[in-house]
Amino acid sequence: MKKLLAAVLATTALTTPVAAEEIKEFRIGILGGENAQDRLSKQECLREQTEELLGVETKLFAPADYNGVIQGLLGGTIDMAWLGASGYAKTYLSNPEAVEPVLVKVNADGGFGYYSVGFARKDSGVASLEDLKGKSFGFGDPNSTSGYLIPSIEIPQVTGATMDSGDYFGEVKFTGGHEQTIVAVANGDVAGGVSWADGLGEWEDGYNSGALRRAVDAGLVDMNDLVEIWKSAPIPEGPFVLRTELPADVKVKMTGLLASMNSIDPDCMYNVLGGDSKGLMPITHDAYEVIIEARKLKSQ
């Protein structure tokens, strides 16, 4: 841990003391998508490293839904989070000054895009969106990019119908998150659903990273029991954001910690990012203008 701390301080070229005297604690929000205990345990390494770096008590918060993290950032009760692009868009549209996007996940191929992936049970006979007509369909969370926003826009372009229950699909419902959607499809509670993946690697592994990979790692699903039935156009990966009103030295330190982690503590980075990656790279607000416009259109 001392090596990690020294490396981060060297990377950020800081001359100020490690202790962040201007804050009394640091609070990290974790989006929904897995059960709360799994989310907390996978982020514990980040909590420990943050606490040592900043010299203040660091807490993890795992609200039941995406909106809990978004409202925490807007209300100043959460200092940092990894948001989806749609979650960032909602935060920005609610208050453009609330947070700053600083870093984004880099995939094994060097890109920072990912996909909304539609899937069904292999033994259900469903092999395409056409086969789902009249059957049930599961979204994750209304503030999820891949679990709602993008598929709710792109799937109707394929089906020629809305996503309202009874129009094309028999029933359309929210499951509560990515993990819940995966389990619901695997258990036959819904005929099909969507989740996120980087689209790299093998289907049998749940791809290299994403919610499907996390479900495989957790032993929740055997991908050989599922079949991919749809894939979105590439989506910009969501940003790690910091609350704008944080002291400047805290923002620099936390950006440095995250940017250094993949080379210094790859196991922690794997847990935080949900699979294999090349770590994180800088990102700015401009990368999310398209998603912000999509949310604006969706709300009209």
Side-chain angles (χ1 to χ4, degrees):
M1 191 65 71
K2 290 181 179 179
K3 291 182 178 179
L4 170 66
L5 183 59
V8 170
L9 292 176
T11 299
T12 54
L14 296 175
T15 58
T16 54
V18 172
E21 297 179 358
E22 296 176 335
I23 60 172
K24 295 181 179 180
E25 65 178 12
F26 192 83
R27 301 148 300 187
I28 302 172
I30 311 170
L31 288 183
E34 295 177 281
N35 70 75
Q37 188 54 52
D38 283 350
R39 285 185 279 157
L40 292 170
S41 63
K42 288 175 181 176
Q43 303 278 339
E44 176 60 18
C45 59
L46 175 59
R47 189 203 67 76
E48 291 177 349
Q49 293 173 20
T50 299
E51 190 166 278
E52 181 166 351
L53 177 65
L54 298 183
V56 297
E57 183 178 7
T58 298
K59 299 177 180 178
L60 299 175
F61 291 90
D65 58 20
Y66 282 39
N67 197 51
V69 173
I70 293 168
Q71 294 305 317
L73 290 166
L74 291 170
T77 58
I78 290 177
D79 298 309
M80 184 181 84
W82 181 21
L83 294 178
S86 183
Y88 171 69
K90 178 175 181 177
T91 306
Y92 177 82
L93 290 170
S94 299
N95 179 2
E97 304 301 323
V99 300
E100 299 174 12
V102 291
L103 295 166
V104 70
K105 170 179 171 284
V106 182
N107 295 324
D109 64 352
F112 65 96
Y114 71 108
Y115 300 90
S116 175
V117 177
F119 55 98
R121 282 187 62 91
K122 185 177 291 185
D123 61 8
S124 68
V126 174
S128 66
L129 289 176
E130 289 74 17
D131 296 330
L132 272 179
K133 188 171 184 179
K135 302 181 185 297
S136 56
F137 186 89
F139 284 126
D141 185 289
N143 286 304
S144 171
T145 317
S146 56
Y148 176 63
L149 179 64
I150 295 301
S152 73
I153 293 172
E154 293 190 10
I155 288 178
Q157 296 172 0
V158 177
T159 64
T162 71
M163 295 299 298
D164 296 334
S165 293
D167 192 0
Y168 184 85
F169 300 103
E171 180 185 14
V172 178
K173 60 182 180 180
F174 286 101
T175 65
H178 288 292
E179 180 179 289
Q180 293 92 324
T181 301
I182 295 167
V183 171
V185 172
N187 289 344
D189 298 328
V190 292
V194 286
S195 190
W196 77 279
D198 62 5
L200 303 173
E202 301 299 326
W203 172 256
E204 291 76 13
D205 298 325
Y207 290 120
N208 282 357
S209 65
L212 292 169
R213 181 60 173 261
R214 279 181 166 160
V216 170
D217 288 348
L220 295 176
V221 66
D222 183 340
M223 294 299 291
N224 292 305
D225 295 334
L226 304 176
V227 60
E228 182 174 306
I229 61 172
W230 175 81
K231 184 185 288 185
S232 71
I235 304 167
E237 183 65 79
F240 277 80
V241 300
L242 291 164
R243 191 165 56 83
T244 304
E245 293 183 354
L246 285 170
D249 68 314
V250 172
K251 289 189 279 189
V252 170
K253 288 173 182 176
M254 288 309 302
T255 302
L257 173 65
L258 290 167
S260 304
M261 189 177 293
N262 199 52
S263 58
I264 298 171
D265 192 349
D267 289 340
C268 185
M269 190 94 285
Y270 183 100
N271 285 335
V272 171
L273 297 183
D276 293 318
S277 72
K278 287 189 174 181
L280 300 166
M281 73 176 189
I283 197 74
T284 66
H285 168 81
D286 293 346
Y288 302 102
E289 290 286 4
V290 171
I291 300 298
I292 290 170
E293 290 304 314
R295 276 211 70 133
K296 286 180 181 179
L297 291 172
K298 195 70 180 175
S299 64
Q300 292 178 356

